[in-house]
């Protein structure tokens, strides 16, 4: 990729330096790309901006809401949350396939 970069909105487009949604290949540079895996929320959970209990809460997910998983490590799942597809982290234990 060359030229000036116009990054997509990180609130609704999942990308980090190490990982990005495969749909963003060619738009963002990441070490790896992943296909989102559909999951569902099984218990009310807070959507956070980072993988930490102390990080800012950006939403609350209710049982049955969709979560498109891109990464699951150290007890935190990262991906698209709810029908609005807001990007963030939730506790892995609150999701089911």
């Amino acid at each position: 990729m060359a030229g000036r970069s116009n990054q997509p909105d990180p609130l609704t487009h999942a990308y980090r330096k190490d990982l990005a949604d495969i749909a963003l290949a060619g738009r963002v540079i990441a070490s790896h790309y992943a296909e989102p895996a559909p999951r569902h929320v099984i218990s009310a959970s807070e959507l956070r901006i980072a993988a930490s209990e102390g990080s800012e809460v950006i939403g609350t997910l209710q049982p049955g809401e969709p979560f498109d998983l891109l990464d699951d490590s150290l007890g935190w799942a990262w991906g698209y949350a709810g029908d609005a597809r807001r990007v963030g982290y939730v506790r892995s234990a609150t999701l089911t396939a």
Side-chain angles (χ1 to χ4, degrees), residues 7-87:
Q7 300 286 24
D9 184 353
L11 299 176
T12 56
H13 294 83
Y15 62 93
R16 311 181 305 212
K17 289 183 180 192
D18 66 322
L19 181 65
D21 183 342
I22 190 74
L24 297 175
R27 292 185 63 198
V28 299
I29 296 173
S31 300
H32 296 82
Y33 298 90
E35 183 76 32
R39 300 287 186 264
H40 285 92
V41 176
I42 56 173
S43 60
S45 49
E46 295 175 328
L47 181 65
R48 296 183 176 272
I49 200 147
S52 164
E53 290 295 339
S55 70
E56 179 184 351
V57 175
I58 54 176
T60 301
L61 302 176
Q62 299 302 317
E65 285 194 77
F67 189 92
D68 289 330
L69 177 71
L70 289 163
D71 184 32
D72 190 353
S73 59
L74 302 174
W76 290 95
W78 177 69
Y80 298 103
D83 293 326
R85 294 180 50 82
R86 182 76 190 260
V87 175

